[in-house]
């Protein structure tokens, strides 16, 4: 479920989002409810929910209540195994926490990005270290949620000591899950513009690699399982929702710009707010286009993102072809330091995960 509203647009973000007066949110939530209702029969097998953004915690609280009340009439929340909501540290308060506890939410993903002032400023984040700590103090009071913290490395001006300080902070908080992303310059973002203008430079490759190695080693020592390229979890605390993506389970996206892979096809909603709302008014759904979908390629890309990799026999049964015949370029990486075959599984090594983007680009 996509909530596209933001109080402020961050320098690195290219997701469909907009800064808008809160009174414009009502029409959007009405469209969300209509679209969800159009899929009601398909929601009976629902197992995970993820509310992302934008900034879901910037939604008006009465609209959140209305959305949840509508969803309670569409399916049985008792069958939901995981319900995640993204939140900005600045917005966390007792009222939101109570609302989430009463709304079946089981997991909060907090957009920390960094505990260092210089890195937060480069990213255009408005929260500061004290806001992060205040939010975590509030969230830990009831211990009602599993907690994910989002961090970034590879940011302009970020040092290895900055990354180590962030990791020291993680070791004190010990959330159940960590997402640690390398910054990617997306076309059209503020950071992309500044780099093209020569105003800032990204960290050199050696420093970027050192940051990734430091993250991997430190989180491993803390007891986190590196189960996907950018994700780390304590035992049994992996994100069920994200695992569904990586295991090629069907998923449904509702809201502006939301993508779906369901009913044997891939499709995407209109990423313009009023374009989306008008489509829903006309057709009850926001779908703007079908997208190209190569199931075999997707299976390999998604499978190799995870620590367990690809089940070779399952691939052969599903597609009636051996994975190495389907993708002969895989051979060049097998038995290297990057890709291994072991016990009928093909998987990236730790070294392979560090250069996974380059491997995927060379494969496809």
């Amino acid at each position: 479920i996509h909530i596209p509203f933001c109080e402020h647009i961050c320098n690195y973000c290219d997701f469909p989002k907009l800064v808008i007066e809160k009174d414009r949110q009502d029409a959007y939530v009405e469209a969300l409810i209509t679209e969800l209702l159009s899929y009601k029969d398909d929601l009976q097998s629902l197992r995970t929910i993820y509310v992302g953004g934008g900034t879901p915690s910037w939604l008006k609280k009465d609209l959140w209540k209305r959305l949840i009340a509508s969803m309670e009439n569409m399916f049985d929340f008792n069958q939901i195994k995981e319900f995640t909501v993204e939140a900005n540290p600045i917005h966390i308060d007792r009222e939101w926490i109570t609302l989430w506890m009463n709304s079946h939410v089981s997991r909060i993903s907090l957009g920390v990005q960094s505990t260092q002032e210089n890195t937060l400023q480069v990213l255009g984040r408005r929260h500061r270290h004290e806001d992060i700590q205040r939010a975590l103090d509030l969230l830990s009071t009831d211990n009602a949620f599993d907690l994910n913290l989002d961090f970034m490395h590879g940011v302009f001006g970020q040092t290895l000591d900055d990354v180590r300080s962030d990791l020291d902070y993680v070791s004190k908080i010990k959330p159940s899950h960590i997402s640690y992303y390398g910054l990617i310059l997306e076309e059209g973002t503020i950071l992309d513009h500044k780099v093209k203008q020569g105003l800032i430079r990204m960290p050199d490759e050696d420093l970027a690699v050192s940051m990734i190695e430091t993250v991997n080693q430190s989180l491993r020592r803390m007891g986190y399982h590196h189960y996907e390229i950018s994700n780390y979890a304590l035992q049994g605390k992996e994100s069920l929702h994200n695992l569904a993506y990586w295991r090629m389970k069907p998923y449904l996206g509702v809201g502006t710009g939301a993508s779906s892979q369901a009913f044997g096809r891939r499709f995407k909603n209109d990423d313009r707010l009023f374009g989306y709302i008008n489509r829903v008014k006309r057709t009850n759904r926001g779908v703007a286009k079908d997208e190209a979908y190569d199931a075999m390629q997707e299976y390999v890309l998604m499978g190799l993102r995870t620590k367990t990799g690809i089940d070779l026999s399952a691939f052969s049964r599903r597609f009636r072809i051996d994975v190495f015949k389907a993708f002969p370029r895989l051979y060049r990486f097998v038995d290297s330091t990057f890709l291994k075959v072991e016990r009928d599984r093909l998987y990236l090594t730790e070294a392979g995960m560090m250069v996974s983007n380059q491997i995927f680009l060379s494969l496809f």
Side-chain angles (χ1 to χ4, degrees):
I1 300 175
H2 184 219
I3 306 296
F5 309 113
C6 291
E7 189 175 8
H8 161 75
I9 304 300
C10 297
N11 295 345
Y12 59 91
C13 183
D14 75 327
F15 289 118
K17 77 284 181 187
L18 66 165
V19 176
I20 196 167
E21 295 299 322
K22 283 198 169 186
D23 60 2
R24 297 290 186 94
Q25 294 184 5
D26 299 70
Y28 181 75
V29 170
E30 182 65 34
L32 268 185
I33 292 170
T34 299
E35 186 173 31
L36 279 165
L37 191 59
S38 76
Y39 290 112
K40 182 178 179 180
D41 291 344
D42 303 297
L43 298 180
Q44 304 317 303
S45 59
L46 193 62
R47 292 296 177 268
T48 66
I49 303 170
Y50 194 105
V51 182
T55 312
S57 55
W58 183 236
L59 189 67
K60 291 193 293 187
K61 293 183 174 79
D62 65 310
L63 291 178
W64 173 267
K65 293 177 187 176
R66 184 177 170 195
L67 177 62
I68 294 298
S70 298
M71 291 166 66
E72 286 176 331
N73 289 326
M74 294 182 205
F75 55 83
D76 181 7
F77 267 99
N78 290 322
Q79 71 183 8
I80 303 302
K81 296 180 179 179
E82 179 184 274
F83 184 176
T84 302
V85 177
E86 292 182 347
N88 186 315
I90 290 177
H91 300 149
I92 301 294
D93 57 26
R94 284 303 312 172
E95 188 178 358
W96 261 127
I97 290 172
T98 301
L99 270 179
W100 290 328
M101 289 174 66
N102 294 332
S103 303
H104 318 281
V105 174
S106 60
R107 190 170 178 271
I108 301 296
S109 182
L110 201 62
V112 172
Q113 314 311 343
S114 177
T115 62
Q116 307 301 300
E117 301 293 320
N118 58 315
T119 305
L120 290 170
Q121 288 175 10
V122 170
L123 293 173
R125 301 291 290 186
R126 290 190 170 179
H127 67 265
R128 293 296 175 257
H129 188 283
E130 57 268 26
D131 299 311
I132 299 168
Q133 190 57 55
R134 181 193 57 82
L136 290 171
D137 288 343
L138 285 170
L139 286 165
S140 64
T141 301
D142 300 293
N143 291 316
F145 312 104
D146 284 326
L147 186 62
N148 172 66
L149 301 186
D150 272 356
F151 281 91
M152 279 189 170
H153 59 76
V155 180
F156 164 74
Q158 190 180 37
T159 67
L160 200 52
D161 281 342
D162 289 334
V163 173
R164 291 188 182 113
S165 293
D166 285 344
L167 290 163
D168 285 343
Y169 189 75
V170 170
S171 71
K172 296 183 180 84
I173 303 301
K174 208 66 180 290
S176 59
H177 193 283
I178 295 287
S179 296
Y180 225 122
Y181 300 105
L183 176 62
I184 297 175
L185 278 180
E186 301 289 358
E187 187 78 25
T189 61
I190 295 171
L191 274 184
D192 177 58
H193 173 74
K194 287 184 176 180
V195 169
K196 286 177 178 175
Q197 294 297 311
L199 300 174
I200 62 174
R201 289 190 304 173
M202 300 301 289
D204 64 48
E205 188 173 339
D206 288 343
L207 178 55
V209 168
S210 294
M211 288 180 176
I212 298 171
E213 289 176 340
T214 299
V215 168
N216 288 343
Q217 292 166 7
S218 298
L219 291 179
R220 187 184 302 115
R221 283 196 299 268
M222 293 179 214
Y224 289 93
H225 169 50
H226 187 190
Y227 73 102
E228 191 271 341
I229 289 171
S230 302
N231 287 274
Y232 309 77
L234 297 179
Q235 190 63 40
K237 294 298 184 179
E238 296 85 355
S239 167
L240 298 180
H241 189 83
N242 286 340
L243 280 172
Y245 290 137
W246 301 321
R247 291 171 176 169
M248 293 287 288
K249 302 292 185 182
Y251 59 86
L252 181 67
V254 296
T256 55
S259 293
S260 302
Q261 185 175 289
F263 322 124
R265 48 190 274 259
R266 173 173 284 176
F267 48 98
K268 187 175 185 294
N269 280 358
D270 199 314
D271 57 12
R272 304 164 302 155
L273 180 73
F274 295 109
Y276 166 76
I277 290 173
N278 288 331
R279 284 180 187 276
V280 173
K281 285 180 178 177
R282 293 196 309 270
T283 68
N284 292 330
R285 295 183 180 178
V287 179
K289 61 179 179 180
D290 279 351
E291 296 186 317
Y293 175 42
D294 184 329
M296 278 200 299
Q297 179 174 307
E298 198 77 8
Y299 192 98
V300 172
L301 282 171
M302 292 295 103
L304 287 180
R305 291 191 63 89
T306 66
K307 191 71 172 179
T308 54
I310 298 166
D311 183 320
L312 296 175
S313 295
F315 182 96
S316 298
R317 287 194 300 271
R318 180 167 181 168
F319 299 109
R320 300 185 182 281
I321 187 173
D322 181 83
V323 70
F324 292 105
K325 289 183 179 178
F327 302 100
R329 291 182 182 178
L330 281 169
Y331 276 118
R332 76 174 72 171
F333 297 104
V334 174
D335 293 328
S336 69
T337 57
F338 301 133
L339 199 62
K340 294 291 182 184
V341 176
E342 192 173 66
R343 292 192 292 275
D344 202 38
R345 303 201 76 86
L346 176 70
Y347 63 92
L348 287 172
T349 63
E350 283 285 339
M353 282 191 167
M354 291 173 62
V355 294
S356 57
N357 285 340
Q358 294 94 311
I359 291 174
F360 295 152
L361 284 171
S362 67
L363 285 175
F364 307 110

